[in-house]
Amino acid sequence: MPPGSTSAIRRFAIASGSGQVRPRASTVVTLSIVTSPPYSLAAVLATGEPERLYSGLSLLVSTAAEGSPCAGLLAFRGLDLMLDEDLLARAENADATPSLSWQGRETFARSFVELRDSALGLETLSLFACSASVETMSLMATDVEDRLDGVMSTPRFLRETAGAQLVFV
Protein backbone atom coordinates (compact mmCIF):
# COMPACT_ATOMS: atom_id res chain seq x y z
CA MET A 1 0.00 0.00 0.00
CA PRO A 2 1.44 3.48 -0.89
CA PRO A 3 2.51 5.81 1.98
CA GLY A 4 -0.33 7.99 3.17
CA SER A 5 -2.93 5.48 1.96
CA THR A 6 -5.65 3.96 4.00
CA SER A 7 -7.76 0.98 3.10
CA ALA A 8 -11.50 0.81 3.17
CA ILE A 9 -13.42 -2.44 3.26
CA ARG A 10 -16.80 -2.54 1.63
CA ARG A 11 -19.16 -5.46 1.98
CA PHE A 12 -21.79 -6.30 -0.58
CA ALA A 13 -24.39 -9.04 -0.22
CA ILE A 14 -25.25 -10.97 -3.32
CA ALA A 15 -28.47 -12.89 -3.18
CA SER A 16 -28.76 -16.12 -5.10
CA GLY A 17 -31.43 -18.74 -5.38
CA SER A 18 -34.94 -18.26 -6.60
CA GLY A 19 -38.14 -17.20 -5.01
CA GLN A 20 -38.79 -16.65 -1.35
CA VAL A 21 -38.44 -20.24 -0.36
CA ARG A 22 -34.67 -20.65 -0.67
CA PRO A 23 -32.91 -17.28 -1.02
CA ARG A 24 -29.25 -17.44 -0.05
CA ALA A 25 -26.80 -14.65 0.50
CA SER A 26 -23.06 -14.76 0.31
CA THR A 27 -20.77 -11.93 1.30
CA VAL A 28 -18.25 -10.53 -1.11
CA VAL A 29 -15.53 -8.35 0.36
CA THR A 30 -13.71 -5.80 -1.74
CA LEU A 31 -10.64 -3.88 -0.65
CA SER A 32 -10.00 -0.45 -2.09
CA ILE A 33 -7.06 1.87 -1.50
CA VAL A 34 -7.90 5.48 -0.69
CA THR A 35 -4.98 7.84 -1.16
CA SER A 36 -4.86 10.84 1.14
CA PRO A 37 -2.27 13.63 1.04
CA PRO A 38 0.78 12.34 2.92
CA TYR A 39 1.60 15.69 4.55
CA SER A 40 -0.63 18.31 6.13
CA LEU A 41 2.12 20.94 6.55
CA ALA A 42 5.34 21.49 4.65
CA ALA A 43 8.01 24.12 5.27
CA VAL A 44 11.08 25.29 3.42
CA LEU A 45 13.50 26.44 6.15
CA ALA A 46 16.23 28.56 4.59
CA THR A 47 16.81 31.23 7.22
CA GLY A 48 20.04 31.61 9.13
CA GLU A 49 18.34 33.62 11.87
CA PRO A 50 17.89 31.43 14.95
CA GLU A 51 14.62 33.13 15.98
CA ARG A 52 13.06 32.56 12.54
CA LEU A 53 14.24 28.96 12.32
CA TYR A 54 12.84 28.41 15.82
CA SER A 55 9.46 29.72 14.65
CA GLY A 56 9.44 27.49 11.58
CA LEU A 57 10.48 24.41 13.55
CA SER A 58 7.87 25.25 16.18
CA LEU A 59 5.12 25.19 13.53
CA LEU A 60 6.28 21.82 12.25
CA VAL A 61 6.83 20.25 15.68
CA SER A 62 3.50 21.48 17.07
CA THR A 63 1.58 20.11 14.10
CA ALA A 64 3.50 16.82 13.97
CA ALA A 65 3.15 16.29 17.74
CA GLU A 66 -0.63 16.30 17.27
CA GLY A 67 -0.28 13.41 14.82
CA SER A 68 -0.41 15.26 11.50
CA PRO A 69 2.40 14.25 9.14
CA CYS A 70 4.70 17.19 8.28
CA ALA A 71 7.81 17.72 6.18
CA GLY A 72 10.60 20.28 6.20
CA LEU A 73 13.25 21.08 3.60
CA LEU A 74 16.35 22.63 5.17
CA ALA A 75 18.23 24.86 2.77
CA PHE A 76 21.51 26.77 3.00
CA ARG A 77 21.73 28.77 6.25
CA GLY A 78 18.76 26.88 7.73
CA LEU A 79 20.58 23.61 7.08
CA ASP A 80 23.77 25.03 8.55
CA LEU A 81 21.94 26.02 11.75
CA MET A 82 20.11 22.70 12.03
CA LEU A 83 23.34 20.69 11.72
CA ASP A 84 25.40 22.93 14.04
CA GLU A 85 27.07 20.72 16.65
CA ASP A 86 27.22 23.64 19.08
CA LEU A 87 23.82 25.20 18.47
CA LEU A 88 23.55 26.24 22.12
CA ALA A 89 26.63 28.50 21.92
CA ARG A 90 25.56 29.86 18.55
CA ALA A 91 22.08 30.78 19.82
CA GLU A 92 23.55 32.39 22.97
CA ASN A 93 25.77 34.65 20.84
CA ALA A 94 24.49 38.24 20.98
CA ASP A 95 25.39 38.79 17.31
CA ALA A 96 23.16 35.86 16.27
CA THR A 97 20.20 36.91 18.44
CA PRO A 98 20.45 40.70 18.84
CA SER A 99 16.79 41.25 19.70
CA LEU A 100 16.92 39.08 22.83
CA SER A 101 17.91 40.13 26.34
CA TRP A 102 20.80 38.32 28.03
CA GLN A 103 18.47 36.22 30.25
CA GLY A 104 16.09 35.71 27.36
CA ARG A 105 18.95 34.58 25.13
CA GLU A 106 19.95 31.81 27.55
CA THR A 107 16.36 30.56 27.82
CA PHE A 108 15.91 30.79 24.06
CA ALA A 109 19.13 28.89 23.35
CA ARG A 110 18.18 25.97 25.62
CA SER A 111 14.67 25.87 24.19
CA PHE A 112 16.01 26.02 20.62
CA VAL A 113 18.27 23.00 21.16
CA GLU A 114 15.36 21.08 22.74
CA LEU A 115 13.09 22.03 19.83
CA ARG A 116 15.67 20.86 17.29
CA ASP A 117 16.09 17.55 19.14
CA SER A 118 12.31 17.12 19.28
CA ALA A 119 12.03 17.82 15.55
CA LEU A 120 14.67 15.21 14.80
CA GLY A 121 12.93 12.64 17.00
CA LEU A 122 9.32 12.90 15.83
CA GLU A 123 8.10 10.08 13.59
CA THR A 124 5.42 12.32 12.07
CA LEU A 125 7.99 14.91 10.97
CA SER A 126 10.29 14.25 8.01
CA LEU A 127 13.23 16.62 7.60
CA PHE A 128 15.25 16.71 4.40
CA ALA A 129 18.36 18.58 3.31
CA CYS A 130 18.12 20.55 0.09
CA SER A 131 20.32 18.80 -2.49
CA ALA A 132 21.63 22.09 -3.93
CA SER A 133 22.63 23.19 -0.43
CA VAL A 134 24.45 19.94 0.30
CA GLU A 135 26.31 20.18 -3.01
CA THR A 136 27.31 23.84 -2.71
CA MET A 137 28.11 23.82 1.01
CA SER A 138 30.70 21.04 0.67
CA LEU A 139 28.68 18.71 2.88
CA MET A 140 28.70 14.96 2.45
CA ALA A 141 25.29 13.44 1.76
CA THR A 142 26.09 10.60 4.16
CA ASP A 143 26.76 13.09 7.00
CA VAL A 144 23.41 14.77 6.37
CA GLU A 145 21.52 11.48 6.00
CA ASP A 146 22.81 10.34 9.41
CA ARG A 147 20.92 13.21 11.07
CA LEU A 148 18.04 13.93 8.67
CA ASP A 149 15.64 11.82 6.62
CA GLY A 150 17.61 12.29 3.43
CA VAL A 151 18.56 14.73 0.70
CA MET A 152 15.94 16.04 -1.72
CA SER A 153 15.73 18.65 -4.46
CA THR A 154 13.28 21.50 -4.06
CA PRO A 155 11.15 20.44 -7.07
CA ARG A 156 10.88 16.90 -5.69
CA PHE A 157 10.02 18.24 -2.21
CA LEU A 158 7.23 20.34 -3.72
CA ARG A 159 5.88 17.31 -5.62
CA GLU A 160 6.08 15.07 -2.52
CA THR A 161 4.25 17.63 -0.36
CA ALA A 162 1.65 18.71 -2.93
CA GLY A 163 -1.64 19.39 -1.18
CA ALA A 164 -0.03 20.37 2.13
CA GLN A 165 -0.02 23.91 3.47
CA LEU A 166 3.35 25.36 2.45
CA VAL A 167 5.36 27.78 4.59
CA PHE A 168 8.64 29.46 3.61
CA VAL A 169 10.90 30.62 6.45
Side-chain angles (χ1 to χ4, degrees), residues 51-70:
E51 300 99 332
R52 291 191 62 184
L53 184 60
Y54 182 99
S55 296
L57 282 176
S58 185
L59 284 172
L60 289 170
V61 167
S62 297
T63 305
E66 292 181 359
S68 297
C70 299

Side-chain angles (χ1 to χ4, degrees), residues 1-79:
M1 195 171 352
S5 300
T6 58
S7 62
I9 296 177
R10 295 189 179 115
R11 295 182 185 270
F12 301 96
I14 299 176
S16 62
S18 59
Q20 295 179 346
V21 180
R22 296 175 48 123
R24 296 181 312 200
S26 60
T27 302
V28 176
V29 178
T30 61
L31 181 65
S32 61
I33 297 174
V34 180
T35 304
S36 59
Y39 298 108
S40 61
L41 179 64
V44 176
L45 305 168
T47 184
E49 297 175 32
E51 300 99 332
R52 291 191 62 184
L53 184 60
Y54 182 99
S55 296
L57 282 176
S58 185
L59 284 172
L60 289 170
V61 167
S62 297
T63 305
E66 292 181 359
S68 297
C70 299
L73 182 68
L74 293 149
F76 301 104
R77 292 176 59 205
L79 178 61

Side-chain angles (χ1 to χ4, degrees), residues 55-158:
S55 296
L57 282 176
S58 185
L59 284 172
L60 289 170
V61 167
S62 297
T63 305
E66 292 181 359
S68 297
C70 299
L73 182 68
L74 293 149
F76 301 104
R77 292 176 59 205
L79 178 61
D80 181 50
L81 260 177
M82 192 70 173
L83 297 178
D84 193 331
E85 292 294 330
D86 198 7
L87 184 60
L88 183 68
R90 190 166 177 181
E92 286 178 334
N93 183 324
D95 291 334
T97 54
S99 63
L100 303 177
S101 68
W102 181 248
Q103 290 102 355
R105 191 171 291 113
E106 289 179 12
T107 302
F108 170 80
R110 282 192 312 276
S111 180
F112 190 24
V113 171
E114 290 172 9
L115 181 64
R116 178 188 64 181
D117 294 345
S118 294
L120 293 171
L122 281 170
E123 287 186 26
T124 51
L125 176 55
S126 301
L127 293 171
F128 303 96
C130 168
S131 58
S133 302
V134 171
E135 188 176 314
T136 59
M137 294 171 66
S138 299
L139 295 171
M140 298 296 295
T142 54
D143 296 334
V144 172
E145 290 170 347
D146 288 343
R147 305 224 16 225
L148 303 177
D149 294 302
V151 177
M152 189 180 293
S153 69
T154 300
R156 181 174 167 216
F157 179 79
L158 294 173

